[in-house]
Amino acid sequence: MTELIEPAKDCPLCPRLMEFRQANQAKFPAFYNGPVRPFGPLSARLLIVGLAPGLKGANATGRPFTGDYAGDLLYATLKKFGLTTGTYDKRPDDGLELVDCRITNAVKCVPPENKPTGPEANTCRPFLISEIAAMKNLKGILCLGQIAHQAMLKTFGMKLSAYKFGHGAQHHLENGLTLFDSYHCSRYNTQTYRLTPEMFENVFADICTYLER
């Protein structure tokens, strides 16, 4: 089995992100404040990819999309499609488990203003490459937002111009995987109706059809 490479809790690879973590540790001592590990089994056929942890969401709890509005919509939708067991309660010890899916971020540490730099994404990319290589049953990848979409294409060494981001788009990649796109399930996108729960559910309906669930 391919060895999974993950960043250390006090990962020093990106100085700006490390300094931001240290500042948040002083400001929010109860927060996790470290590279957020992926959530879900490596045996999953679906990988859900976000850009980076939210300051008061995953950075606070240590679990992807846990503790913020984006997680509320994401986990409710996963439950509706049978991709979870247990109950989501906005904390990493709530007993929630993922079924046939895994959630990760292209950048593992929370960035200032939710905006990692290109070099930071490049530095963190080997961890994502390692994770994908370890997922032997992987068939589909859901990218939450355009930047996550672009990060995935760069991870595979593919041209951005060859696969244009669009909500609900499906891209059959040269490596045999299928890339699904959705607008990010952020509070801003849902409050402005850029993304509705129905639009989000439609993407998962397409994914489950593809996976023949």
Side-chain angles (χ1 to χ4, degrees):
M1 183 174 180
T2 304
E3 181 181 0
L4 184 63
I5 303 172
E6 296 183 312
K9 179 65 164 61
D10 57 350
C11 181
L13 295 179
C14 299
R16 187 182 77 117
L17 300 188
M18 182 177 66
E19 292 174 4
F20 191 56
R21 286 202 322 263
Q22 292 172 343
N24 285 321
Q25 187 63 57
K27 189 174 182 180
F28 307 107
F31 280 14
Y32 175 77
N33 284 317
V36 175
R37 298 182 64 183
F39 176 40
L42 282 170
S43 60
R45 292 182 295 166
L46 173 65
L47 180 64
I48 300 170
V49 182
L51 176 59
L55 175 60
K56 295 185 178 180
N59 178 67
T61 63
R63 191 176 73 181
F65 289 89
T66 298
D68 57 15
Y69 181 83
D72 292 347
L73 179 55
L74 176 59
Y75 287 115
T77 306
L78 290 175
K79 180 179 180 179
K80 184 169 184 175
F81 285 88
L83 294 167
T84 66
T85 61
T87 301
Y88 173 66
D89 195 26
K90 302 185 180 183
R91 50 189 176 81
D93 61 348
D94 54 16
L96 183 75
E97 294 185 1
L98 299 184
V99 177
D100 204 20
C101 70
R102 184 175 170 93
I103 304 173
T104 194
N105 283 301
V107 176
K108 307 303 182 187
C109 293
V110 59
E113 300 179 348
N114 294 319
K115 295 178 181 178
T117 65
E120 288 165 352
N122 292 340
T123 298
C124 213
R125 188 162 294 126
F127 301 120
L128 185 57
I129 292 173
S130 168
E131 183 176 6
I132 290 171
M135 296 184 69
K136 300 305 182 182
N137 299 323
L138 185 63
K139 290 185 64 178
I141 299 174
L142 170 60
C143 298
L144 299 178
Q146 183 173 5
I147 301 178
H149 165 93
Q150 293 173 345
M152 282 309 312
L153 293 178
K154 291 177 181 178
T155 296
F156 292 131
M158 298 177 180
K159 292 183 179 180
L160 303 187
S161 59
Y163 303 98
K164 185 177 180 181
F165 174 84
H167 179 80
Q170 300 180 31
H171 307 281
H172 302 291
L173 305 181
E174 302 165 7
N175 57 15
L177 299 175
T178 295
L179 202 67
F180 295 84
D181 289 337
S182 174
Y183 292 138
H184 195 283
C185 48
S186 66
R187 182 187 296 271
Y188 176 81
N189 279 346
T190 56
Q191 286 185 338
T192 58
Y193 299 102
R194 181 178 179 83
L195 177 69
T196 66
E198 292 75 18
M199 291 169 62
F200 202 44
E201 290 173 7
N202 287 341
V203 172
F204 277 93
D206 289 342
I207 291 171
C208 288
T209 297
Y210 170 72
L211 296 177
E212 297 180 347
R213 286 185 55 84

